[in-house]
Amino acid sequence: MSEERVQFGIKALDKMLSGGLLPGSANLLEGAPGTGKTTLAIQFVYNGIVQFKEPGLIITFEEFPQQYYHDAMQFGWDLKKLENEGKLKLIFSDPQTTLDEIDKVDGQFVKIIEDLGVKRVVIDSMTHFESLGIDQFDLRDIERRMINALKREGVSSILLRENDNLFGQVSQVSSKIPFIVDSYTLLRYVEIDSAIEKALCILKMRGSDHQKDIRCFRIGSKGIEVEAKFSGREGIMSGNAHLTPQDAFVNVFGKK
Ligand SMILES: Nc1ncnc2c1ncn2[C@@H]1O[C@H](COP(=O)(O)OP(=O)(O)O)[C@@H](O)[C@H]1O
Ligand SMILES: [Mg+2]
């Protein structure tokens, strides 16, 4: 590989990303509640620290602090320990405070990034900026400022976004964030043979090739595991999974 990449430490996912994320890039990870956004983002930061020696910063508006530490611990990720070792910082904040801070070149966030030598940042989640009661133009301005600030600091970031549609189309909120990020990955529930599975798809990756497969993934005891393609299925990402004509034919008439 000629170019350095920022790896998740999840083999199949890094392979889909042609080796990993681009250094210094801002990456959107979107999905319905419970699809695994927070898990994947923490895994990115955790593996960054323990496998690649890249300190991390997680800014969350999402959950109660103890819950966050507890959930990560279920996968064996001891975030408290990493914080004590000065390799990680978790900030439980609110959107307004974060916004006020992020632009400041001498603010608290920048100080943490510099003091710890942070290379990986997670924002959990961008959707909370929509709660500030602002119009779509202000929202876009906030998103742009946020991404600019992360780029200015040269960190590789994962920005989470809630998608209220459990199945089916990507929601059409006024946010323009998919257009300004460097990569856009979607997590989705899919119904297959009367069971709920999870699918992952990389919709775009600026300045790089990537695999366009729709992959099945699971949340196991060690975090996210990306598995095989959904073979013989169509309509996975539209929420209307059905057999391809070839597989439907085999089902009815059997293999020759
Ligand atoms: N220890 C665990 N083992 C397996 N699956 C888990 C574990 N903890 C949480 N999960 C699964 O992860 C999901 C929540 O993931 P999370 O990353 O919080 O989603 P999101 O941030 O997208 O709302 C839960 O629905 C649950 O199915
Ligand atoms: Mg979450």
Side-chain angles (χ1 to χ4, degrees):
M1 219 176 307
S2 58
E3 194 179 17
E4 193 194 333
R5 295 289 181 138
V6 183
Q7 298 176 42
F8 274 85
I10 302 171
K11 269 210 176 70
L13 180 56
D14 288 329
K15 198 163 175 214
M16 289 179 79
L17 293 160
S18 299
L21 300 174
L22 291 166
S25 60
N27 305 279
L28 181 62
L29 177 61
E30 178 173 310
T35 43
K37 299 179 297 298
T38 299
T39 307
L40 183 55
I42 296 178
Q43 197 165 353
F44 171 74
V45 166
Y46 182 83
N47 285 350
I49 296 167
V50 301
Q51 291 184 28
F52 307 106
K53 296 192 165 48
E54 296 195 330
L57 167 65
I58 298 173
I59 300 172
T60 178
F61 319 124
E62 193 66 57
E63 286 156 84
F64 298 105
Q66 290 318 318
Q67 186 72 42
Y68 218 89
Y69 290 106
H70 173 271
D71 289 353
M73 202 60 169
Q74 298 309 302
F75 301 108
W77 306 330
D78 192 341
L79 303 184
K80 275 247 162 71
K81 178 169 169 276
L82 295 181
E83 280 198 295
N84 291 336
E85 291 170 358
K87 297 170 182 166
L88 170 73
K89 180 74 185 167
L90 254 84
I91 295 179
F92 296 89
S93 186
D94 62 86
Q96 188 61 58
T97 309
T98 300
L99 201 58
D100 295 341
E101 267 293 322
I102 203 82
D103 284 335
K104 293 186 203 156
V105 285
D106 57 351
Q108 183 207 358
F109 292 169
V110 171
K111 187 165 165 22
I112 290 169
I113 288 171
E114 287 174 359
D115 286 354
L116 266 60
V118 166
K119 296 277 187 293
R120 300 184 181 210
V121 174
V122 164
I123 312 273
D124 189 359
S125 74
M126 294 301 286
T127 311
H128 287 76
F129 288 113
E130 290 165 27
S131 69
L132 290 173
I134 49 176
D135 66 24
Q136 58 179 13
F137 299 104
D138 285 344
L139 181 63
R140 291 174 197 177
D141 181 52
I142 285 172
E143 292 167 347
R144 193 164 289 110
R145 279 162 56 197
M146 194 82 196
I147 289 169
N148 284 347
L150 293 164
K151 295 217 162 191
R152 184 189 67 215
E153 297 307 319
V155 295
S156 309
S157 60
I158 296 194
L159 314 173
L160 306 189
R161 184 163 80 150
E162 292 293 332
N163 184 327
D164 293 338
N165 293 349
L166 289 186
F167 301 91
Q169 290 303 312
V170 174
S171 69
Q172 286 303 319
V173 288
S174 53
S175 159
K176 280 280 177 270
I177 196 163
F179 296 93
I180 51 178
V181 288
D182 298 297
S183 84
Y184 183 12
T185 299
L186 202 56
L187 306 182
R188 179 173 293 303
Y189 292 111
V190 290
E191 181 189 336
I192 299 211
D193 299 335
S194 303
I196 303 297
E197 306 263 2
K198 288 172 182 166
L200 178 151
C201 181
I202 299 160
L203 296 180
K204 86 162 192 182
M205 193 173 176
R206 197 178 272 163
S208 169
D209 194 18
H210 66 90
Q211 288 180 14
K212 281 96 188 167
D213 304 343
I214 298 162
R215 294 294 192 88
C216 180
F217 75 92
R218 276 173 226 294
I219 304 179
S221 62
K222 290 178 183 153
I224 303 269
E225 295 160 20
V226 177
E227 300 178 349
K229 274 203 274 192
F230 283 96
S231 59
R233 303 276 169 175
E234 290 178 341
I236 298 276
M237 294 323 256
S238 67
N240 179 24
H242 52 271
L243 292 173
T244 58
Q246 293 86 334
D247 284 83
F249 181 90
V250 170
N251 270 6
V252 175
F253 297 104
K255 271 207 172 87
K256 267 175 99 185

Coordinates of all heavy atoms in Angstrom, one line a residue, residues 198-256:
K198 N -28.1 -7.0 10.2 CA -27.5 -5.7 10.0 C -26.6 -5.6 8.8 O -25.9 -6.6 8.5 CB -26.8 -5.2 11.3 CG -27.7 -4.9 12.4 CD -26.9 -4.7 13.7 CE -27.9 -4.5 14.8 NZ -27.2 -4.6 16.1
A199 N -26.7 -4.5 8.1 CA -25.9 -4.4 6.8 C -25.1 -3.1 6.9 O -25.5 -2.1 7.6 CB -26.8 -4.3 5.6
L200 N -23.9 -3.2 6.3 CA -23.0 -2.0 6.3 C -22.6 -1.8 4.8 O -22.4 -2.7 4.1 CB -21.8 -2.3 7.1 CG -20.6 -1.3 7.2 CD1 -19.9 -1.5 8.5 CD2 -19.6 -1.5 6.0
C201 N -22.6 -0.5 4.5 CA -22.3 -0.2 3.1 C -21.5 1.2 3.1 O -21.9 2.1 3.8 CB -23.6 0.0 2.3 SG -23.3 0.3 0.5
I202 N -20.5 1.2 2.3 CA -19.7 2.5 2.2 C -20.3 3.2 0.9 O -20.2 2.7 -0.2 CB -18.2 2.2 2.0 CG1 -17.7 1.5 3.3 CG2 -17.5 3.6 1.8 CD1 -16.4 0.8 3.1
L203 N -21.0 4.3 1.1 CA -21.7 5.0 0.0 C -20.7 5.8 -0.8 O -20.8 6.0 -2.0 CB -22.8 5.8 0.5 CG -24.0 5.1 1.2 CD1 -25.0 6.1 1.7 CD2 -24.6 4.1 0.3
K204 N -19.8 6.5 -0.1 CA -18.8 7.3 -0.8 C -17.5 7.4 -0.1 O -17.4 7.2 1.2 CB -19.3 8.7 -1.1 CG -19.1 9.7 0.0 CD -19.2 11.1 -0.5 CE -18.7 12.2 0.5 NZ -18.9 13.6 0.1
M205 N -16.4 7.5 -0.8 CA -15.1 7.8 -0.2 C -14.3 8.6 -1.2 O -13.9 8.2 -2.2 CB -14.4 6.4 0.1 CG -13.2 6.6 1.0 SD -12.5 5.0 1.4 CE -11.1 5.5 2.4
R206 N -14.1 9.8 -0.7 CA -13.5 10.8 -1.6 C -12.0 10.5 -1.8 O -11.3 10.2 -0.8 CB -13.6 12.2 -0.9 CG -13.4 13.4 -1.8 CD -13.7 14.6 -1.0 NE -15.1 15.1 -1.0 CZ -15.5 16.0 -0.2 NH1 -14.8 16.5 0.8 NH2 -16.8 16.3 -0.2
G207 N -11.5 10.6 -3.0 CA -10.1 10.5 -3.3 C -9.6 9.1 -3.1 O -8.4 8.9 -2.9
S208 N -10.4 8.1 -3.1 CA -10.0 6.7 -2.9 C -11.0 5.7 -3.5 O -12.2 6.0 -3.6 CB -9.8 6.4 -1.4 OG -9.6 5.1 -1.2
D209 N -10.5 4.6 -3.9 CA -11.4 3.5 -4.3 C -11.9 2.9 -3.0 O -11.2 3.0 -2.0 CB -10.6 2.5 -5.1 CG -11.6 1.6 -5.9 OD1 -12.8 1.9 -5.9 OD2 -11.1 0.5 -6.3
H210 N -13.0 2.2 -3.1 CA -13.5 1.4 -2.0 C -14.4 0.4 -2.5 O -14.9 0.5 -3.6 CB -14.2 2.3 -1.0 CG -15.5 3.0 -1.5 ND1 -16.7 2.4 -1.4 CD2 -15.7 4.1 -2.2 CE1 -17.6 3.1 -2.0 NE2 -17.0 4.2 -2.5
Q211 N -14.7 -0.6 -1.7 CA -15.6 -1.7 -2.1 C -17.0 -1.2 -2.0 O -17.4 -0.6 -1.0 CB -15.4 -2.9 -1.3 CG -14.0 -3.6 -1.7 CD -13.8 -4.9 -0.8 OE1 -14.7 -5.4 -0.2 NE2 -12.6 -5.3 -0.9
K212 N -17.8 -1.6 -2.9 CA -19.2 -1.1 -2.9 C -20.2 -2.2 -2.4 O -21.4 -2.0 -2.5 CB -19.6 -0.7 -4.3 CG -19.2 0.7 -4.7 CD -17.9 0.7 -5.5 CE -17.3 2.1 -5.7 NZ -15.9 2.0 -6.2
D213 N -19.6 -3.3 -2.0 CA -20.5 -4.4 -1.4 C -21.3 -3.9 -0.3 O -21.0 -3.1 0.5 CB -19.6 -5.5 -0.8 CG -18.6 -6.0 -1.8 OD1 -18.7 -5.8 -3.0 OD2 -17.7 -6.7 -1.3
I214 N -22.5 -4.6 -0.2 CA -23.3 -4.4 1.0 C -22.9 -5.6 1.9 O -23.1 -6.8 1.5 CB -24.8 -4.4 0.7 CG1 -25.0 -3.2 -0.2 CG2 -25.6 -4.3 2.0 CD1 -26.3 -3.3 -1.0
R215 N -22.4 -5.4 3.1 CA -21.9 -6.5 3.9 C -22.8 -6.7 5.1 O -23.3 -5.7 5.7 CB -20.5 -6.2 4.4 CG -19.4 -6.1 3.4 CD -19.2 -7.5 2.7 NE -18.0 -7.4 1.9 CZ -16.8 -7.7 2.4 NH1 -16.6 -8.0 3.6 NH2 -15.8 -7.6 1.6
C216 N -22.8 -7.9 5.5 CA -23.5 -8.3 6.7 C -22.5 -8.0 7.9 O -21.3 -8.2 7.7 CB -23.8 -9.8 6.6 SG -24.7 -10.4 8.1
F217 N -23.0 -7.5 9.0 CA -22.1 -7.4 10.2 C -22.9 -7.7 11.4 O -24.1 -7.7 11.5 CB -21.5 -6.0 10.3 CG -22.4 -4.9 10.8 CD1 -22.5 -4.6 12.1 CD2 -23.2 -4.2 9.9 CE1 -23.3 -3.6 12.6 CE2 -24.1 -3.2 10.4 CZ -24.1 -2.9 11.7
R218 N -22.1 -8.1 12.4 CA -22.7 -8.5 13.7 C -22.0 -7.8 14.8 O -20.8 -7.4 14.7 CB -22.5 -10.0 13.9 CG -23.5 -10.8 13.3 CD -23.2 -12.3 13.4 NE -23.4 -13.0 12.2 CZ -24.6 -13.1 11.6 NH1 -25.7 -12.7 12.2 NH2 -24.7 -13.7 10.4
I219 N -22.7 -7.6 15.9 CA -22.0 -7.1 17.1 C -21.8 -8.3 18.0 O -22.7 -8.9 18.6 CB -22.9 -6.0 17.8 CG1 -23.2 -4.9 16.8 CG2 -22.2 -5.4 19.0 CD1 -24.1 -3.8 17.4
G220 N -20.5 -8.7 18.1 CA -20.2 -9.9 18.9 C -19.6 -9.5 20.2 O -19.6 -8.3 20.6
S221 N -18.9 -10.4 20.9 CA -18.4 -10.1 22.2 C -17.2 -9.2 22.2 O -16.8 -8.6 23.2 CB -18.0 -11.4 22.9 OG -17.0 -12.1 22.2
K222 N -16.6 -9.1 21.0 CA -15.4 -8.2 20.9 C -15.7 -7.0 20.0 O -14.8 -6.4 19.5 CB -14.2 -9.0 20.3 CG -13.7 -10.0 21.4 CD -12.5 -10.8 20.8 CE -12.1 -11.8 21.8 NZ -11.5 -13.0 21.2
G223 N -17.0 -6.7 19.8 CA -17.3 -5.5 19.0 C -17.9 -5.9 17.6 O -18.4 -7.0 17.4
I224 N -17.7 -5.0 16.7 CA -18.2 -5.2 15.4 C -17.4 -6.2 14.6 O -16.2 -6.1 14.5 CB -18.3 -3.9 14.6 CG1 -19.1 -2.8 15.4 CG2 -18.7 -4.0 13.1 CD1 -20.5 -2.7 15.1
E225 N -18.1 -7.1 14.0 CA -17.4 -8.1 13.0 C -18.1 -8.0 11.7 O -19.3 -8.2 11.6 CB -17.6 -9.5 13.6 CG -16.9 -9.8 14.9 CD -17.5 -11.0 15.6 OE1 -18.1 -11.8 14.9 OE2 -17.3 -11.0 16.8
V226 N -17.3 -7.6 10.7 CA -17.9 -7.5 9.3 C -17.8 -8.8 8.6 O -16.7 -9.4 8.6 CB -17.2 -6.4 8.6 CG1 -17.7 -6.3 7.2 CG2 -17.4 -5.0 9.3
E227 N -18.8 -9.2 8.0 CA -18.9 -10.6 7.4 C -19.0 -10.5 5.9 O -18.7 -9.5 5.3 CB -20.0 -11.4 8.1 CG -19.7 -11.5 9.6 CD -20.7 -12.3 10.4 OE1 -21.8 -12.5 9.8 OE2 -20.5 -12.6 11.5
A228 N -19.6 -11.6 5.4 CA -19.7 -11.7 3.9 C -20.7 -10.8 3.3 O -21.5 -10.1 4.0 CB -20.0 -13.1 3.6
K229 N -20.7 -10.7 2.0 CA -21.8 -10.0 1.3 C -23.1 -10.7 1.5 O -23.2 -11.9 1.8 CB -21.5 -10.1 -0.2 CG -20.6 -9.0 -0.7 CD -20.8 -8.9 -2.2 CE -19.9 -9.8 -3.0 NZ -19.9 -9.5 -4.5
F230 N -24.2 -10.0 1.3 CA -25.5 -10.6 1.2 C -25.7 -11.2 -0.2 O -26.1 -10.5 -1.1 CB -26.6 -9.6 1.5 CG -26.7 -9.1 2.9 CD1 -26.1 -8.0 3.3 CD2 -27.5 -9.9 3.8 CE1 -26.2 -7.6 4.7 CE2 -27.7 -9.5 5.1 CZ -27.0 -8.3 5.5
S231 N -25.3 -12.5 -0.3 CA -25.3 -13.0 -1.7 C -26.7 -13.4 -2.0 O -27.5 -13.8 -1.2 CB -24.4 -14.2 -1.8 OG -24.8 -15.2 -0.8
G232 N -27.0 -13.2 -3.3 CA -28.3 -13.6 -3.8 C -29.5 -12.8 -3.4 O -30.6 -13.2 -3.4
R233 N -29.2 -11.6 -2.9 CA -30.3 -10.7 -2.5 C -30.2 -9.3 -3.2 O -29.1 -8.9 -3.5 CB -30.1 -10.4 -1.0 CG -30.2 -11.6 -0.1 CD -31.6 -12.0 0.2 NE -31.5 -13.3 0.9 CZ -32.6 -14.0 1.3 NH1 -33.8 -13.4 1.2 NH2 -32.5 -15.1 1.9
E234 N -31.3 -8.8 -3.4 CA -31.4 -7.4 -4.0 C -32.2 -6.5 -3.1 O -33.0 -7.0 -2.3 CB -32.0 -7.4 -5.4 CG -31.2 -8.1 -6.4 CD -31.9 -8.2 -7.8 OE1 -33.2 -8.0 -7.8 OE2 -31.2 -8.4 -8.8
G235 N -32.0 -5.2 -3.2 CA -32.9 -4.3 -2.5 C -32.5 -4.2 -1.0 O -33.3 -3.7 -0.2
I236 N -31.3 -4.6 -0.6 CA -30.9 -4.6 0.8 C -31.0 -3.1 1.4 O -31.6 -2.9 2.4 CB -29.5 -5.1 1.0 CG1 -29.4 -6.5 0.6 CG2 -29.0 -4.9 2.4 CD1 -29.7 -7.6 1.6
M237 N -30.4 -2.2 0.7 CA -30.3 -0.9 1.3 C -31.6 -0.1 1.1 O -31.8 0.9 1.8 CB -29.1 -0.1 0.7 CG -27.7 -0.6 1.0 SD -27.6 -1.3 2.7 CE -26.6 0.0 3.5
S238 N -32.4 -0.5 0.3 CA -33.7 0.2 0.1 C -34.7 -0.3 1.1 O -35.8 0.1 1.3 CB -34.3 0.0 -1.3 OG -34.6 -1.3 -1.5
G239 N -34.3 -1.3 1.9 CA -35.1 -1.9 3.0 C -36.1 -2.9 2.4 O -37.1 -3.3 3.1
N240 N -35.9 -3.3 1.2 CA -36.9 -4.3 0.6 C -36.1 -5.4 0.0 O -36.0 -5.6 -1.2 CB -37.7 -3.5 -0.5 CG -38.6 -4.4 -1.2 OD1 -39.1 -5.4 -0.6 ND2 -39.0 -4.1 -2.4
A241 N -35.5 -6.2 1.0 CA -34.6 -7.3 0.5 C -35.4 -8.4 -0.1 O -36.4 -8.8 0.5 CB -33.8 -7.8 1.7
H242 N -35.0 -8.8 -1.2 CA -35.6 -10.0 -1.9 C -34.6 -10.8 -2.6 O -33.5 -10.3 -2.9 CB -36.8 -9.5 -2.8 CG -36.3 -8.5 -3.8 ND1 -36.4 -7.1 -3.5 CD2 -35.8 -8.6 -5.0 CE1 -36.0 -6.4 -4.5 NE2 -35.6 -7.3 -5.5
L243 N -34.9 -12.0 -3.0 CA -34.0 -12.8 -3.7 C -33.8 -12.3 -5.1 O -34.7 -11.7 -5.7 CB -34.6 -14.3 -3.8 CG -34.7 -15.0 -2.5 CD1 -35.4 -16.3 -2.7 CD2 -33.3 -15.3 -1.9
T244 N -32.6 -12.5 -5.6 CA -32.4 -12.2 -7.0 C -33.1 -13.2 -7.8 O -33.4 -14.3 -7.4 CB -30.9 -12.3 -7.4 OG1 -30.4 -13.6 -7.1 CG2 -30.0 -11.3 -6.6
P245 N -33.5 -12.9 -9.1 CA -34.2 -13.8 -9.9 C -33.5 -15.2 -10.0 O -34.2 -16.2 -9.9 CB -34.3 -13.1 -11.3 CG -34.1 -11.6 -10.9 CD -33.3 -11.6 -9.7
Q246 N -32.2 -15.1 -10.1 CA -31.5 -16.4 -10.2 C -31.7 -17.3 -8.9 O -31.9 -18.5 -9.0 CB -29.9 -16.1 -10.3 CG -29.5 -15.5 -11.6 CD -29.6 -13.9 -11.5 OE1 -30.4 -13.4 -10.7 NE2 -28.8 -13.2 -12.3
D247 N -31.6 -16.6 -7.7 CA -31.7 -17.4 -6.5 C -33.2 -17.8 -6.3 O -33.4 -18.9 -5.8 CB -31.2 -16.6 -5.3 CG -29.7 -16.6 -5.3 OD1 -29.1 -15.8 -6.0 OD2 -29.1 -17.5 -4.6
A248 N -34.1 -17.0 -6.7 CA -35.5 -17.4 -6.6 C -35.8 -18.6 -7.5 O -36.5 -19.5 -7.1 CB -36.4 -16.2 -7.0
F249 N -35.2 -18.6 -8.6 CA -35.3 -19.7 -9.6 C -34.8 -21.0 -8.9 O -35.5 -22.0 -8.9 CB -34.5 -19.4 -10.9 CG -34.7 -20.5 -11.9 CD1 -35.7 -20.4 -12.8 CD2 -33.7 -21.5 -12.0 CE1 -35.8 -21.4 -13.8 CE2 -33.8 -22.5 -12.9 CZ -34.9 -22.5 -13.8
V250 N -33.6 -20.9 -8.3 CA -33.0 -22.1 -7.7 C -33.9 -22.6 -6.6 O -34.0 -23.8 -6.4 CB -31.6 -21.7 -7.2 CG1 -31.0 -22.8 -6.3 CG2 -30.6 -21.4 -8.3
N251 N -34.4 -21.6 -5.8 CA -35.3 -22.0 -4.7 C -36.5 -22.8 -5.2 O -36.9 -23.7 -4.5 CB -35.8 -20.8 -3.9 CG -34.8 -20.4 -2.8 OD1 -33.8 -21.0 -2.7 ND2 -35.2 -19.4 -2.0
V252 N -37.1 -22.4 -6.3 CA -38.3 -23.0 -6.7 C -38.0 -24.3 -7.5 O -38.6 -25.4 -7.2 CB -39.1 -22.1 -7.7 CG1 -40.3 -22.8 -8.3 CG2 -39.5 -20.9 -6.9
F253 N -37.0 -24.2 -8.3 CA -36.7 -25.4 -9.2 C -35.5 -26.2 -8.8 O -35.3 -27.3 -9.3 CB -36.5 -24.9 -10.7 CG -37.7 -24.2 -11.2 CD1 -37.8 -22.9 -11.3 CD2 -38.9 -25.0 -11.6 CE1 -38.9 -22.2 -11.8 CE2 -40.0 -24.4 -12.1 CZ -40.0 -23.0 -12.2
G254 N -34.8 -25.8 -7.8 CA -33.6 -26.5 -7.3 C -32.4 -26.3 -8.3 O -32.6 -25.8 -9.4
K255 N -31.3 -26.6 -7.7 CA -30.0 -26.5 -8.5 C -30.0 -27.6 -9.5 O -30.4 -28.7 -9.3 CB -28.8 -26.6 -7.6 CG -28.4 -25.2 -7.1 CD -26.9 -25.3 -6.8 CE -26.4 -23.9 -6.4 NZ -26.5 -23.6 -5.0
K256 N -29.5 -27.3 -10.7 CA -29.4 -28.4 -11.7 C -28.3 -29.4 -11.4 O -27.3 -29.0 -10.8 CB -29.1 -27.7 -13.1 CG -30.3 -27.4 -13.9 CD -30.0 -26.7 -15.2 CE -29.9 -27.6 -16.4 NZ -29.5 -26.9 -17.6

